Amino acid sequence: MDLDECVGCKPFLTRVQVSQLLQEQYHLRLTHLKTLSGYDGQNFRVQARPVQSDISAQEGDEGPSTTYILKISNSALSRNLQQIKDATRLMEFLNGKGFSCPRPIPDRYGKVCRLVTFQNLILNESGDKISINKKELDTFAVRLLSFLPGVNLDDLSVVPSHIFEEVGEMLGRIHNAWEKFDMNLKAMDEFAHSFFWTIYNAPRVTTILDVVTDPYRKRICRETLDAFNSEVIPNIDELQHGFLHADFNDTNILVNTASDTSNVHIVGFLDFDDNHYGPTLWDIGLTLMYILQCKTPDRHIAARLYLRGYQKHRQMTHLERSCLYYCAAVRFVQSLLLNLRYKESSSDTFVLSTQARDWDAFEEMWASGRAECYKKWQFTL
């Protein structure tokens, strides 16, 4: 599965189709809809109220609206429906353990995830409404989730330093909790080795290096990929493995708002779509990459606090510590190149919103080298 396949299979639901879906599958009447950002799927924040079964009931008697998140997966990912179901089970498990994450809402048949076929009503539209997906009919996995209040960490003008330690602690706690969860790994393993966004597949971006036009940037991208292939890939089997969130970043972490920044704390986390099984180092390195590009006066202090928070709950092996630098660096390369490639096939500008920060952080990290970075992060081998 590659980027072009996912983009070409992106959902195309209109407001009318969302309204019909909620009413037919969930017995809910749509009262408000807001389209949210979605890389290769559709996400909606919807407000809806239960549909009264009593036909004599007046519309005003239907009760207050409740806010939900409606997630529509693209048809390529929907073909591995079991992975989506397994990711939903991982989310339910954490929710049941007291973690603040979304809760799946069963449909009228008691299912929390199902495939639904839709007609492409915007196939022949133009301008902003044009459909990237050119199929007349397509089938997508549908889930309705509870809504979590809060603001994305990325929406803060400056991230308070103590939040980075909280991020590390939260990820460590998630990994510990998932150690107690058991499931058949077949679907997760298939997803891990086929989905282009997993770190397993980071070396594949070598084929799209030409999206980078700057010679220096292209060179350090190639150096990073070579280092990852030589320093990390041969050691994969020796790394600790577990279930991974695989997208624990500043757009999926929620914080509260407060006039005093010392009172700002993590209140929840989102987006389990990329969950799979693999080296827990993938998660640690991925989140470190996003920490390094956060809005903070000192990214090295942010990294130091994040790693300190994680190790309050889980100790890293010598091999993991040795490989961490290369995992964070290769995630920079993977993200930068895939987003540049995505720009070529999509009008969505969301993925380019952090490109300048990403390049700046990556270039500084790679130029500093592992030893200097670890010194600044107070992270020893």
Side-chain angles (χ1 to χ4, degrees):
M1 184 190 311
D2 60 20
L3 175 62
D4 291 338
E5 182 181 8
C6 277
V7 171
C9 295
K10 191 168 183 176
F12 41 65
L13 272 66
T14 65
R15 180 188 176 91
V16 170
Q17 288 172 307
V18 169
S19 179
Q20 291 174 340
L21 173 68
L22 290 174
Q23 185 149 339
E24 293 173 3
Q25 300 293 333
Y26 296 94
H27 282 162
L28 293 171
R29 188 185 307 280
L30 178 68
T31 60
H32 181 76
L33 178 146
K34 180 180 179 180
T35 301
L36 305 176
S37 297
Y39 186 86
D40 51 25
Q42 276 186 304
N43 299 311
F44 302 99
R45 186 169 69 197
V46 300
Q47 292 179 348
R49 56 169 61 101
V51 175
Q52 286 283 359
S53 57
D54 182 356
I55 60 173
S56 65
Q58 299 296 313
E59 185 173 340
D61 296 333
E62 292 176 331
S65 294
T66 300
T67 303
Y68 304 95
I69 298 297
L70 179 65
K71 295 185 71 68
I72 315 294
S73 300
N74 70 63
S75 56
L77 294 176
S78 297
R79 289 197 290 268
N80 189 351
L81 184 63
Q82 189 58 51
Q83 183 275 334
I84 299 175
K85 290 180 177 180
D86 290 346
T88 306
R89 290 175 60 198
L90 287 171
M91 178 172 58
E92 285 184 291
F93 179 80
L94 290 184
N95 193 282
K97 293 295 182 180
F99 286 85
S100 182
C101 58
R103 175 176 50 84
I105 308 298
D107 63 16
R108 62 192 295 183
Y109 306 102
K111 296 183 178 296
V112 295
C113 179
R114 70 165 49 247
L115 293 175
V116 182
T117 299
F118 297 91
Q119 181 181 358
N120 191 343
L121 300 179
I122 60 172
L123 182 61
N124 299 313
E125 295 285 352
S126 60
D128 293 339
K129 294 183 178 180
I130 191 170
S131 175
I132 299 173
N133 188 327
K134 300 304 180 183
K135 299 175 184 175
E136 293 186 2
L137 294 172
D138 210 350
T139 301
F140 311 113
V142 172
R143 288 173 294 167
L144 189 66
L145 307 176
S146 62
F147 171 76
L148 292 186
V151 298
N152 297 106
L153 192 58
D154 186 54
D155 290 335
L156 300 182
S157 56
V158 178
V159 180
S161 59
H162 65 271
I163 291 294
F164 298 115
E165 190 162 355
E166 290 186 17
V167 171
E169 288 197 56
M170 183 66 72
L171 185 60
R173 290 177 54 221
I174 291 170
H175 286 167
N176 282 341
W178 274 339
E179 281 189 343
K180 301 175 178 65
F181 189 77
D182 184 44
M183 69 162 69
N184 187 304
L185 299 178
K186 181 180 179 181
M188 285 278 179
D189 190 62
E190 177 184 333
F191 178 83
H193 289 90
S194 64
F195 187 48
F196 56 90
W197 268 112
T198 70
I199 292 184
Y200 275 116
N201 290 304
R204 288 170 54 183
V205 299
T206 303
T207 61
I208 59 170
L209 265 174
D210 285 344
V211 297
V212 182
T213 56
D214 180 89
Y216 171 71
R217 288 178 170 176
K218 182 181 290 188
R219 176 172 65 80
I220 63 174
C221 286
R222 185 177 288 110
E223 289 174 356
T224 300
L225 290 163
D226 289 343
F228 182 78
N229 284 330
S230 63
E231 300 294 331
V232 181
I233 293 296
N235 295 306
I236 285 179
D237 290 343
E238 305 304 317
L239 296 169
Q240 298 182 88
H241 283 57
F243 292 109
L244 312 180
H245 182 280
D247 207 12
F248 202 67
N249 64 48
D250 48 342
T251 62
N252 291 328
I253 296 171
L254 298 176
V255 296
N256 64 315
T257 56
S259 55
D260 183 350
T261 57
S262 65
N263 293 323
V264 175
H265 298 285
I266 294 177
V267 295
F269 53 96
L270 313 168
D271 198 351
F272 290 66
D273 291 4
D274 294 353
N275 286 181
H276 59 278
Y277 190 86
T280 50
L281 181 64
W282 284 183
D283 254 3
I284 305 168
L286 177 150
T287 302
L288 173 59
M289 170 257 161
Y290 289 106
I291 291 293
L292 288 168
Q293 61 84 51
C294 270
K295 301 167 189 172
T296 174
D298 192 322
R299 57 175 60 104
H300 294 295
I301 290 177
R304 181 193 311 166
L305 293 171
Y306 159 69
L307 292 169
R308 184 170 74 186
Y310 184 85
Q311 291 177 103
K312 285 183 179 180
H313 298 273
R314 288 178 65 91
Q315 291 302 308
M316 298 175 63
T317 67
H318 175 80
L319 179 59
E320 288 176 323
R321 301 168 81 86
S322 176
C323 294
L324 176 65
Y325 174 83
Y326 303 107
C327 288
V330 86
R331 181 59 176 195
F332 268 120
V333 174
Q334 184 180 33
S335 178
L336 287 163
L337 268 61
L338 285 174
N339 285 338
L340 285 172
R341 179 67 185 86
Y342 181 83
K343 179 189 174 185
E344 296 178 351
S345 56
S346 171
S347 60
D348 188 352
T349 59
F350 167 72
V351 298
L352 301 180
S353 59
T354 65
Q355 280 269 313
R357 290 207 316 267
D358 288 356
W359 279 115
D360 183 57
F362 169 52
E363 288 173 8
E364 180 185 349
M365 176 187 179
W366 195 249
S368 297
R370 186 179 68 168
E372 183 63 22
C373 283
Y374 281 15
K375 181 179 179 181
K376 291 178 178 178
W377 304 344
Q378 296 181 1
F379 187 70
T380 60
L381 290 176

